[in-house]
Amino acid sequence: MVAWTDAERNAITAVFAKLNPDVVGPNALARCLIVYPWTQRYFSKFGNLYNAEAILGNPMVAAHGKVVLGGLEMALKNMDDIKKTFAPLSELHSEKLHVDPDNFRLLADCITIVVASQMGSAFTAEVQAAWQKFLAVVVSGLCRQYH
Amino acid sequence: MSLSTKDKALVKTFWDKASKKADDVGSEALSRMLVTYPATKTYFANWDDLRPGSAPVRKHGKVIMKGLATAVSKIDDLENGLSKLAEMHATKLRVDPANFKILSHCILVVLSMMFWNDFTPETHVAMDKFLSRVSQAMSEKYR
């Protein structure tokens, strides 16, 4: 069980309050596909991922970015049992989608970078620490059913 | 992964802008690393104040940014250009090389906060690759 301090809960809630999910999700996923191009291997059905411009303008990437953010929102609502909440998603990513779990870390880093850009100086060191702890717990939940 | 001509050009252009706030970038990146990855504090046990923005953190942030400036100027031969720093980190400081990745991430977070308009996706790739290559060069003398 993960222990969250009140300060951490507040920081994470504050991040969600400030971020625009329609901006952060699509941008973070696009950046992941651009900065770590090998992650494109999972999105061969998404059409044109030929260059940065194509990826940034691709509606399927944007739609899936929103799906990812939706997953994070689900984690926020179930912060005290992310492991259990994410078990079905973990199974999906392992058994059906066959995603190398290291990619979750890469996407998490891109999400952090985009969130930081949206929040500016409000994304203090303490907020970043809480936010990255939250993402690490989500990633851990997603990795759990791999075998 | 090696840096293409385009990557190097993007790094240099972006660095021209970012280096104007080098002191702030260095201090912020180091502050974040110490708070977000508390294990990294073990390397600075002799400092009297490890809090974000403290005097030792600000001072050391400048040192780190000077190192990065050297890396940018020696971008065509990072292994030789960073050889002395690599030697120091390997033999004297003995910093576990995994920490270079951690600091690189914190630097990217701060750059995105402070220079988002210039931190385009192409620049982001170039900078991520550059810091990755710098980390690699810094790890050269460990064994």
Side-chain angles (χ1 to χ4, degrees):
Chain A
M1 252 276 294
V2 181
W4 302 101
T5 65
D6 286 340
E8 285 169 342
R9 284 180 201 272
N10 291 337
I12 293 158
T13 309
V15 171
F16 273 95
K18 286 206 167 72
L19 67 79
N20 180 344
D22 291 343
V23 165
V24 171
N27 260 295
L29 183 58
R31 291 229 166 200
C32 187
L33 296 171
I34 293 165
V35 179
Y36 310 108
W38 54 92
T39 57
Q40 291 170 25
R41 75 189 300 279
Y42 303 109
F43 301 99
S44 52
K45 300 206 172 90
F46 274 31
N48 187 1
L49 298 177
Y50 192 59
N51 55 28
E53 214 182 306
I55 292 170
L56 287 162
N58 186 314
M60 289 181 84
V61 171
H64 197 67
K66 291 182 192 173
V67 167
V68 169
L69 238 296
L72 286 186
E73 276 160 358
M74 182 173 77
L76 175 72
K77 291 196 178 86
N78 295 277
M79 256 176 85
D80 290 310
D81 203 353
I82 289 175
K83 205 159 64 183
K84 193 156 141 231
T85 310
F86 271 66
L89 268 176
S90 175
E91 188 137 347
L92 173 77
H93 282 74
S94 159
E95 302 301 303
K96 266 198 82 185
L97 304 174
H98 306 292
V99 177
D100 178 339
D102 202 55
N103 292 280
F104 304 144
R105 274 160 225 122
L106 297 177
L107 180 55
D109 282 351
C110 288
I111 291 169
T112 300
I113 280 169
V114 175
V115 164
S117 75
Q118 298 287 296
M119 289 184 69
S121 55
F123 197 62
T124 63
E126 289 82 3
V127 171
Q128 180 177 347
W131 177 250
Q132 289 201 202
K133 178 177 167 178
F134 172 71
L135 288 182
V137 172
V138 170
V139 166
S140 174
L142 277 172
C143 290
R144 242 182 156 257
Q145 302 304 321
Y146 279 70
H147 59 91
Chain B
M1 281 180 276
S2 56
L3 298 169
S4 67
T5 318
K6 183 175 162 202
D7 290 329
K8 292 179 191 177
L10 283 167
V11 168
K12 286 188 186 147
T13 307
F14 182 71
W15 184 257
D16 270 343
K17 294 203 170 84
S19 56
K20 295 191 170 65
K21 294 233 174 113
D23 290 356
D24 289 337
V25 174
S27 173
E28 278 284 352
L30 188 56
S31 297
R32 276 148 204 292
M33 185 188 81
L34 296 168
V35 173
T36 306
Y37 305 91
T40 58
K41 290 195 286 192
T42 54
Y43 293 102
F44 305 101
N46 57 321
W47 287 0
D48 54 21
D49 190 351
L50 287 164
R51 289 170 305 170
S54 70
V57 169
R58 279 204 75 82
K59 186 166 164 215
H60 201 64
K62 286 187 194 168
V63 168
I64 291 170
M65 293 307 279
K66 248 186 89 198
L68 270 188
T70 302
V72 174
S73 72
K74 305 276 181 185
I75 203 168
D76 290 314
D77 189 1
L78 287 168
E79 267 71 23
N80 279 321
L82 295 176
S83 166
K84 282 211 182 80
L85 275 173
E87 183 92 31
M88 184 172 77
H89 282 74
T91 59
K92 236 187 102 193
L93 304 174
R94 284 178 290 195
V95 174
D96 189 316
N99 292 288
F100 299 141
K101 193 173 198 304
I102 289 173
L103 180 57
S104 296
H105 170 69
C106 292
I107 291 170
L108 289 175
V109 170
V110 174
L111 292 175
S112 101
M113 271 169 62
M114 291 174 67
F115 303 99
W116 184 241
N117 289 333
D118 298 295
F119 197 59
T120 63
E122 286 93 347
T123 298
H124 184 167
V125 187
M127 285 303 295
D128 190 299
K129 285 175 76 176
F130 169 66
L131 290 176
S132 191
R133 282 287 294 118
V134 169
S135 302
Q136 196 179 11
M138 290 293 283
S139 307
E140 270 293 291
K141 310 278 169 142
Y142 275 74
R143 51 180 175 175

